[in-house]
Amino acid sequence: MDEQVQKLLDELKKKDKSTYEHSIRVADLIQKYSMAANLGIELTQGLIFCAVLHDIGKLILPNRILKKAGPLTDSEWEAVREHPRLGSKLIRQVFGCDRLWESCIVMTHHERMDGHGYPSGLHGEEIPLEARIIAVADAVDVMLHGREYQKPMSSDECKREVLRCSGTQFDPGAVAVFTHEII
Ligand SMILES: [Fe+2]
Ligand SMILES: [Fe+2]
C-alpha cells in the first residue's frame, strides 16, 4: 500500500481502532464487489483507496465525541457529520491534485439517493457512482458487525435491510451486486 495511505491508517488505528478495522473491512467488501462487477484494475484501485480512507476525517474529530459512551447531543452529531468534509480536505492536503476525484468520493460517501444524506443533500446520479458503491459497503459492514449498542445482523437480515433501502438510501445497481454476490 502507498506509504502515505499507510501512515494515515496507522494514525487512525492509534486514535480509533474500531473505525480502522471497519475501514479495512469496507475495503475488503469493495475488493469483492470489484471482482463480482468486473470493474477493472484502475477503477478497483481508486475504489480501494477511497474505501480505506472513507472515514479518515474522524482523525480530526475530538476523542470526547468519537469515544463517547452515551448518546450524542445535537451539536456532537453535527460535528460527526462533518467527517466526510474533513476527510476530503485531509486527502487533498496529503495527496494534492493526484487524488482530487478520490477526495470527492470521500466527501460524498454519506449522501443518499433520495437527497436526505449529508453533507450536501445530493440526489441520485449527482452522487458519484464510486460513492454510491462505498455507501452500500459501509452500511453492510456496520450491519454485519454491529456497533456498541447494536448487535450484528445475520446475512439474511442484512440482505433484507439493504433491499428495503434500495432506491431511497442506496443505488439499486450497487444493491443488486451486493445482495446477489457478496452478502
Ligand atoms: Fe463515514
Ligand atoms: Fe464508514
Side-chain angles (χ1 to χ4, degrees), residues 22 54-55 58 83-84 109-110 118 138:
H22 158 73
H54 76 281
D55 279 337
K58 291 191 177 175
H83 80 271
H109 78 275
H110 283 290
Y118 63 90
D138 188 21

Side-chain angles (χ1 to χ4, degrees), residues 101 104-105 108 111-116 120-132 171:
W101 181 239
C104 173
I105 308 302
T108 50
E111 299 291 347
R112 295 172 44 122
M113 295 299 282
D114 59 10
H116 289 133
S120 306
L122 300 178
H123 282 86
E125 292 183 7
E126 290 172 347
I127 309 163
L129 176 63
E130 292 94 323
R132 287 181 259 148
D171 178 282

Side-chain angles (χ1 to χ4, degrees), residues 39-53:
L39 289 188
I41 184 93
E42 213 166 300
L43 186 50
T44 301
Q45 282 174 347
L47 262 174
I48 288 178
F49 176 96
C50 297
V52 284
L53 296 181

Side-chain angles (χ1 to χ4, degrees), residues 164-183:
R164 191 182 67 80
C165 300
S166 178
T168 50
Q169 185 173 354
F170 302 130
D171 178 282
V175 165
V177 176
F178 275 100
T179 53
H180 288 137
E181 315 266 354
I182 299 171
I183 303 170

